[in-house]
Amino acid sequence: MSASSNQRTLFQTWGASSPPRNVAQSKKERKKAAGRRKASQSDAAQRPAPNPLCSEVRSFTPRDAPEEISHSTETPKPSAYEDEDEDDDLMVVAVIEAEENLQRDQDSLPQNEQLTCPTPSVGKITYPDFPGFDSSSATVWIYPTNYPVREYQLHMSQAALFQNTLVCLPTGLGKTFIAAVVMYNFYRWYPAGKIVFMAPTKPLVAQQIEACYNVMGIPQEHMAELTGSTAAHRRQEVWRSKRIFFLTPQVMMNDLSRDSRLAPQIKCLVIDEAHKALGNHAYCQVIRQLSCQTRQFRVLALSATPGGETKSVQCVISNLLISHIELRSEESPDILAHSYQRCVEKIVVPIGDMLASYQTRYLQVLEKFTSRLIQNRVMAHKDLQNLTKYQLLLARDQFRKNPPTHIKGPQQGMLEGDFALCISLCHGYELLMQMGLRSFFLFIQGIMDGSREMSRARNELQRTPTFMDLYYEIETKFAKEPGIDDPYVYGHPKLQKLDEVVVQHFHFLTQNASSSTGAGEVGTRVMIFSSFRDSVQEIALMLNRHSPLIRAMTFTGHGSAGKAVKGLTQKEQLEVVNRFRQGGFNTLVSTCVGEEGLDIGEVDLIVCFDAQKNPTRLVQRMGRTGRKRQGRIVVTLAQGREERIYNQSQRTKHSLLKSIMGDKSGFDMYPNSPRMLPEGLNPTLHKMHLTCGQFKQRLGSRRSSKGRHSLIHLQNFFCQEGTASGGFLSSTEYSLWESTMKLREDEAQPTLRRSSRCVSLPHDEPFQDDIPKDGVPVRELSLWEWRHWQHRELPTHVVDHSLRCQHYIKVMQLVDDMREENKK
């Protein structure tokens, strides 16, 4: 691009105009021109202060940017650095002239009509069919070069600007980068429009706002993060004053319902984790609500995998109004140069004699209750080893719709109870074969002690001797947590194999680090996935026996209703992720909440403890490694049914990708993708280096300086390996406390508030407030910052808890329940 064409493009972009110059200037002449500009600036100092509309340009301009501008028409091809300097020079002039023109237009308006974010007016053409469109900025679309230019990202960004696009990229290859480029260009083209980024969870929302800022440097004062905890009237004020919004679809739906004027202002809608847009998901509701009020908005959908099967992909396309798909797999040629090799190992583990004997006895219990359904001809005969909950649910639905004529009222209710019992027992069978005896025991224990509120099932099982013998036998093995010196009982052969794989990984890397650097510390990370919380807890307890070599932490969702283990709040989830990246602990044991969205960081080893029938979940798990260096993925499978599920999932994934990439015409695309630019306007690509500032964390979005979030619930801390003799922490507990809870030296030390109701005795020690701190910052200790330790009774020795303590615990539980209700 020549200097003159570059100048013309930029002036059109920023809404300023400049007379053409066709005569080359010498360096001295350019300096004189710069001097004249400085003099004109001093004259302009007498005018009112300009409106800082172009802060987006300032954020891209280095502080020491020169003011000379080259206007040569015949110059050799400049280097990359010369192009960047030329862009900076041109932007300085564009900013000055644009701000002067904008201020004059702003001053001419009545006071009540002046805009906080006015649109450029120089050279602007009005298009009635495109309200709010700025024609002076639409001659180019900008792509950043402050990150390495990847051709697939450039191609996808261009496609997403001009049609509703579903972008499918493996995890870690820059979907958020593409979204930031598209959002920024609509931010320029529609200066008074709104851009929305939706993500399914609040932690992901908080992460994406920072990621988008770091790519394009959109002024942070124009962006806002909205959550359900913000009052509705406050959100309305934010909608009026901001331009780019990061929020969950539920919040978006609520605000659209309250304010009908909001929908026409939205010009670009980005949907993260778009494969969730099925059925009546909040994503689908938002699209339907917007479509009822306006057609003039662009949709960009992001996902690592479009769906588990062709039918679900079509549903996503229809629900999100997708007219074009951009899909890349790990084998795509333009992806291979930017991804690292990932070694996938499938380890098939025989179930062993012990587990096989329990399987046989449990199937006898299941057969007793399924036989009653088969005898009444409401369920077809099935092989019990391959019976699934889904098959039972289908049979129950068919029974409800078309009950046999020989089934009368009372008998129909008994069969309904048999269906419910068989579904629960089938779930227990899956736990037994995939997760092991300990997870299975915790499940049936919940039935027998009444915590699962299945009184009929408990009564039926208590009258079944085979089941009761099985239950008591397992109870003797797993009712009590093993002590430090007790031999560990593996509930499933897969657990033993998992233990060996993780320990071998850390030993191997530790030995390599010792031989190469002389230090035993190694910066590797391991992530383990399991579908059930009880299994997650069991794996973490098992691995923490190898502390300090392995420091494991659980990562679960925030829901806790009906769960034996209390989940993590969303703030705690972010804190766990941060500690994992910083090295507080080196192993993360996660449920499905860690599969997608959140930036966990670089992980060297991924272990999938169970197989997933849906290939989407498996791809999400595998995408957590191989981002910056080679990664390893180990999938542990029980021989038999679980192995077949995994193989079927892999076949489904390959056939689905092949059908999408080979023949996209097989899908019904949305035919009416709106044109967001007037006819005849076709922006050209302009690459430029953007300088982004430092992102300022929103107050309260991270760990508060006034308090300390507890990352460990009591079940995680006190049930590690039992308490050491004498009431002191065991080595495992101490390592966990030191890595996640110990106050650092630079943190304010807590001090107690002096009580006015207590009179100290003369010989008492000086109160903490009176002790000099030698310059160490102190703060008043608050029970609120340790609220996660107040949910239940702590272990005691000799002296039991008082009645007042028990009342306090109930109050804290009530407060937490009320807080969870308010979040819903």
Side-chain angles (χ1 to χ4, degrees):
M1 182 181 291
S2 66
S4 59
S5 62
N6 193 15
Q7 176 184 356
R8 183 167 55 255
T9 300
L10 282 171
F11 273 103
Q12 292 169 349
T13 302
W14 306 116
S17 58
S18 177
R21 301 182 182 181
N22 299 323
V23 181
Q25 292 181 326
S26 66
K27 188 173 183 179
K28 291 184 178 180
E29 290 173 338
R30 291 200 302 271
K31 289 185 177 180
K32 290 181 181 180
R36 289 193 295 271
R37 286 197 304 274
K38 291 181 179 179
S40 64
Q41 292 176 29
S42 63
D43 295 339
Q46 306 300 324
R47 306 170 187 166
N51 191 312
L53 170 70
C54 298
S55 57
E56 58 173 304
V57 184
R58 284 183 177 145
S59 63
F60 306 144
T61 308
R63 296 179 180 177
D64 55 349
E67 294 189 353
E68 299 88 23
I69 303 178
S70 174
H71 300 287
S72 174
T73 57
E74 298 179 1
T75 57
K77 185 176 180 179
S79 65
Y81 292 104
E82 291 172 349
D83 284 341
E84 294 173 6
D85 293 341
E86 187 178 76
D87 287 342
D88 293 341
D89 296 342
L90 293 168
M91 281 193 294
V92 171
V93 180
V95 168
I96 295 170
E97 296 187 7
E99 286 192 348
E100 291 176 355
N101 291 329
L102 290 172
Q103 184 61 35
R104 283 196 295 270
D105 294 340
Q106 179 80 350
D107 293 340
S108 64
L109 291 173
Q111 186 67 26
N112 59 349
E113 296 182 9
Q114 292 188 3
L115 302 176
T116 57
C117 296
T119 60
S121 60
V122 178
K124 186 172 94 171
I125 303 175
T126 302
Y127 294 91
D129 295 335
F130 298 87
F133 174 70
D134 179 22
S135 60
S136 61
S137 65
T139 56
V140 297
W141 70 275
I142 293 178
Y143 188 85
T145 59
N146 39 303
Y147 287 85
V149 177
R150 298 181 178 182
E151 288 302 321
Y152 71 89
Q153 288 179 328
L154 176 60
H155 176 79
M156 290 179 167
S157 300
Q158 184 171 13
L161 286 172
F162 304 108
Q163 50 192 332
N164 292 352
T165 304
L166 172 61
V167 170
C168 298
L169 271 177
T171 303
L173 288 176
K175 295 186 293 292
T176 303
F177 180 92
I178 296 170
V181 173
V182 174
M183 292 165 64
Y184 173 71
N185 282 281
F186 277 96
Y187 170 84
R188 294 174 50 251
W189 293 345
Y190 287 88
K194 311 291 184 184
I195 295 97
V196 174
F197 190 112
M198 292 194 302
T201 63
K202 289 193 286 187
L204 186 54
V205 169
Q207 175 183 289
Q208 296 290 29
I209 186 172
E210 181 175 356
C212 290
Y213 174 84
N214 290 334
V215 172
M216 301 300 292
I218 297 173
Q220 196 170 345
E221 58 270 18
H222 292 180
M223 299 191 296
E225 176 187 347
L226 295 178
T227 64
S229 58
T230 308
H233 66 85
R234 172 59 184 156
R235 294 207 302 269
Q236 290 180 349
E237 296 177 3
V238 175
W239 277 108
R240 286 194 294 268
S241 59
K242 305 293 184 179
R243 293 185 53 193
I244 299 182
F245 305 89
F246 296 80
L247 68 175
T248 59
Q250 292 82 3
V251 174
M252 183 68 187
M253 188 61 198
N254 292 337
D255 290 345
L256 284 174
S257 302
R258 289 189 181 97
D259 190 355
S260 60
R261 300 169 298 177
L262 183 59
Q265 302 178 49
I266 296 174
K267 302 302 177 183
C268 179
L269 182 66
V270 180
I271 299 173
D272 200 10
E273 307 298 341
H275 57 271
K276 294 181 177 292
L278 301 173
N280 199 35
H281 191 273
Y283 281 154
C284 309
Q285 297 180 38
V286 169
I287 293 294
R288 287 195 293 266
Q289 183 75 8
L290 280 175
S291 301
C292 292
Q293 302 182 46
T294 179
R295 295 282 182 178
Q296 204 72 21
F297 63 94
R298 173 69 66 240
V299 175
L300 170 59
L302 309 174
S303 179
T305 52
E309 54 184 3
T310 306
K311 182 179 179 181
S312 62
V313 176
Q314 181 60 62
C315 290
V316 171
I317 292 173
S318 303
N319 293 336
L320 300 184
L321 311 181
I322 300 299
S323 59
H324 178 69
I325 297 180
E326 286 288 342
L327 184 142
R328 301 290 189 279
S329 67
E330 296 172 353
E331 293 79 21
S332 299
D334 50 354
I335 293 295
L336 292 176
H338 305 285
S339 60
Y340 292 85
Q341 182 180 4
R342 291 186 293 188
C343 176
V344 181
E345 303 175 25
K346 182 178 73 171
I347 300 179
V348 180
V349 182
I351 62 174
D353 296 336
M354 181 184 70
L355 196 62
S357 64
Y358 285 115
Q359 176 191 17
T360 302
R361 295 162 65 184
Y362 188 73
L363 286 177
Q364 294 175 4
V365 178
L366 184 59
E367 184 180 13
K368 171 186 175 181
F369 298 103
T370 55
S371 61
R372 298 200 305 217
L373 298 175
I374 296 174
Q375 291 172 2
N376 286 279
R377 301 193 299 276
V378 295
M379 189 183 82
H381 182 76
K382 300 286 184 181
D383 179 11
L384 292 183
Q385 291 190 10
N386 297 317
L387 181 64
T388 64
K389 290 184 294 183
Y390 181 68
Q391 292 173 343
L392 286 169
L393 290 170
L394 288 179
R396 186 178 66 176
D397 291 342
Q398 184 65 26
F399 167 68
R400 289 174 175 176
K401 293 178 182 177
N402 301 303
T405 56
H406 65 278
I407 302 296
K408 305 302 180 183
Q411 192 177 6
Q412 185 173 356
M414 292 180 60
L415 291 177
E416 280 280 353
D418 287 341
F419 268 118
L421 177 57
C422 289
I423 291 171
S424 298
L425 292 178
C426 191
H427 175 69
Y429 180 70
E430 292 180 0
L431 290 176
L432 175 66
M433 302 308 297
Q434 295 185 21
M435 302 298 161
L437 289 171
R438 185 174 277 105
S439 296
F440 170 71
F441 168 70
L442 293 175
F443 171 73
I444 61 176
Q445 186 185 44
I447 297 177
M448 301 308 292
D449 64 13
S451 60
R452 293 186 179 272
E453 298 180 356
M454 300 170 61
S455 58
R456 184 182 185 278
R458 180 179 58 184
N459 295 335
E460 291 276 4
L461 293 173
Q462 285 177 344
R463 293 194 293 266
T464 307
T466 305
F467 175 82
M468 294 307 297
D469 293 342
L470 179 67
Y471 174 66
Y472 289 135
E473 186 176 333
I474 299 177
E475 185 180 28
T476 58
K477 292 184 177 182
F478 300 105
K480 183 180 179 181
E481 293 291 338
I484 299 175
D485 300 327
D486 296 336
Y488 189 82
V489 179
Y490 294 101
H492 197 290
K494 288 199 306 179
L495 285 168
Q496 185 174 0
K497 178 58 67 174
L498 168 66
D499 200 9
E500 294 173 1
V501 168
V502 177
V503 171
Q504 182 184 16
H505 172 81
F506 279 103
H507 275 311
F508 176 76
L509 292 180
T510 302
Q511 292 173 2
N512 288 349
S514 300
S515 60
S516 60
T517 64
E521 183 68 21
V522 61
T524 185
R525 301 286 181 272
V526 174
M527 195 165 183
I528 302 167
F529 288 101
S530 183
S531 299
F532 300 97
R533 286 190 185 181
D534 292 332
S535 177
V536 165
Q537 295 290 325
E538 180 180 7
I539 293 172
L541 293 175
M542 177 187 71
L543 294 177
N544 276 324
R545 296 182 302 115
H546 304 288
S547 177
L549 177 67
I550 301 176
R551 303 184 302 276
M553 181 62 186
T554 60
F555 187 59
T556 59
H558 66 278
S560 58
K563 304 291 183 180
V565 180
K566 189 174 180 65
L568 298 176
T569 65
Q570 290 172 327
K571 286 185 179 180
E572 288 174 327
Q573 291 175 11
L574 287 174
E575 194 73 11
V576 168
V577 170
N578 292 335
R579 289 296 181 89
F580 183 62
R581 286 201 296 254
Q582 296 167 8
F585 38 89
N586 53 24
T587 303
L588 198 64
V589 189
S590 174
T591 57
C592 61
V593 71
E595 291 176 353
E596 57 190 17
L598 283 175
D599 183 11
I600 301 295
E602 184 58 29
V603 180
D604 298 312
L605 173 64
I606 295 288
V607 181
C608 299
F609 186 68
D610 56 346
Q612 295 298 323
K613 189 173 182 180
N614 188 343
T616 300
R617 295 184 60 182
L618 189 60
V619 170
Q620 297 278 9
R621 291 180 175 187
M622 293 181 173
R624 292 301 176 185
T625 188
R627 298 188 179 193
K628 298 181 180 178
R629 53 181 180 264
Q630 290 185 357
R632 179 186 176 200
I633 301 165
V634 175
V635 184
T636 59
L637 304 169
Q639 190 176 35
R641 176 178 169 183
E642 190 177 23
E643 182 184 6
R644 292 193 296 271
I645 290 174
Y646 174 80
N647 294 336
Q648 178 61 37
S649 174
Q650 291 298 101
R651 289 192 293 268
T652 302
K653 183 187 75 170
H654 291 302
S655 61
L656 179 62
L657 292 176
K658 184 177 179 180
S659 63
I660 296 177
M661 300 181 70
D663 184 20
K664 296 179 183 178
S665 61
F667 295 97
D668 296 329
M669 297 294 180
Y670 180 62
N672 302 319
S673 183
R675 181 177 176 86
M676 300 301 294
L677 299 177
E679 292 288 344
L681 279 180
N682 298 300
T684 58
L685 168 64
H686 178 70
K687 300 179 182 178
M688 62 186 300
H689 183 88
L690 306 179
T691 304
C692 306
Q694 183 67 34
F695 184 83
K696 297 178 182 179
Q697 295 290 351
R698 183 178 61 88
L699 184 61
S701 63
R702 294 292 185 265
R703 175 177 162 178
S704 172
S705 61
K706 296 183 179 180
R708 187 175 187 84
H709 297 302
S710 168
L711 303 182
I712 310 172
H713 290 290
L714 301 178
Q715 296 91 335
N716 293 347
F717 190 77
F718 287 102
C719 298
Q720 295 292 329
E721 292 297 328
T723 304
S725 60
F728 294 101
L729 296 179
S730 65
S731 59
T732 301
E733 293 169 344
Y734 181 84
S735 174
L736 197 58
W737 167 80
E738 185 179 33
S739 62
T740 58
M741 306 192 67
K742 183 179 179 181
L743 290 174
R744 298 190 300 268
E745 293 181 357
D746 59 338
E747 289 188 279
Q749 302 299 311
T751 181
L752 293 175
R753 178 186 300 177
R754 180 187 292 274
S755 175
S756 59
R757 298 185 180 181
C758 298
V759 180
S760 299
L761 297 177
H763 59 273
D764 280 351
E765 294 294 329
F767 199 75
Q768 290 190 35
D769 287 344
D770 302 328
I771 300 176
K773 298 298 181 180
D774 297 329
V776 178
V778 296
R779 57 184 172 81
E780 191 175 277
L781 183 62
S782 169
L783 288 177
W784 174 253
E785 63 187 87
W786 298 99
R787 62 191 181 278
H788 305 297
W789 292 79
Q790 318 301 325
H791 296 137
R792 56 173 289 181
E793 298 176 357
L794 299 178
T796 61
H797 180 65
V798 180
V799 180
D800 199 3
H801 290 283
S802 66
L803 183 62
R804 179 174 296 180
C805 176
Q806 294 172 354
H807 287 171
Y808 177 75
I809 291 171
K810 292 181 180 179
V811 170
M812 291 302 296
Q813 292 174 346
L814 177 62
V815 170
D816 269 8
D817 292 341
M818 294 173 64
R819 187 183 301 110
E820 292 296 329
E821 288 294 330
N822 291 335
K823 289 180 180 179
K824 295 178 180 179

